Amino acid sequence: EPGVDVNRPKAETARIRKLASILVAIDANNDIWINKKKVGLDEVRLNVEVLKQENPKGTAVVQVDAKAQSRYLVEVVNQIRDAGVREIAVSTEEI
């Protein structure tokens, strides 16, 4: 659980994915949530590294609110990659 509900954007290409071991949410105020706590943008990598140690083969899903600024999504995905997670999906709602 990332710790916050987000209003995900709709997408025609949405696919159902297996559960991820690392869930990150970006809410409408551009706040970032991991494990039910709000973290700063500069804390994403460290938090993901800790979760990755618990499940080295884990994947990540980023739930981003439709009203969030896209630059936060890009920065969060980059930090997740920098933490060593290669399989990252962005969660949307199917149209």
Side-chain angles (χ1 to χ4, degrees):
E1 296 290 320
V4 67
D5 290 326
V6 296
N7 180 21
R8 296 174 292 171
K10 303 213 181 300
E12 288 184 27
T13 58
R15 290 182 291 159
I16 296 175
R17 296 185 52 90
K18 294 182 264 181
L19 292 177
S21 60
I22 301 169
L23 294 175
V24 179
I26 305 169
D27 67 19
N29 297 318
N30 300 308
D31 292 326
I32 302 163
W33 295 82
I34 302 175
N35 273 353
K36 299 182 182 179
K37 71 175 188 179
K38 191 164 81 169
V39 300
L41 186 57
D42 59 336
E43 300 173 292
V44 172
R45 180 178 176 171
L46 179 61
N47 279 272
V48 171
E49 285 174 344
V50 169
L51 293 172
K52 187 176 184 311
Q53 287 178 350
E54 295 172 10
N55 186 354
K57 294 184 179 180
T59 62
V61 171
V62 180
Q63 298 175 342
V64 60
D65 194 282
K67 293 181 181 177
Q69 294 177 9
S70 59
R71 76 176 189 92
Y72 284 89
L73 172 61
V74 172
E75 288 291 333
V76 166
V77 168
N78 286 339
Q79 292 226 12
I80 293 170
R81 275 198 191 109
D82 290 346
V85 177
R86 297 290 168 241
E87 192 171 335
I88 306 166
V90 176
S91 181
T92 60
E93 292 286 338
E94 189 172 6
I95 294 178

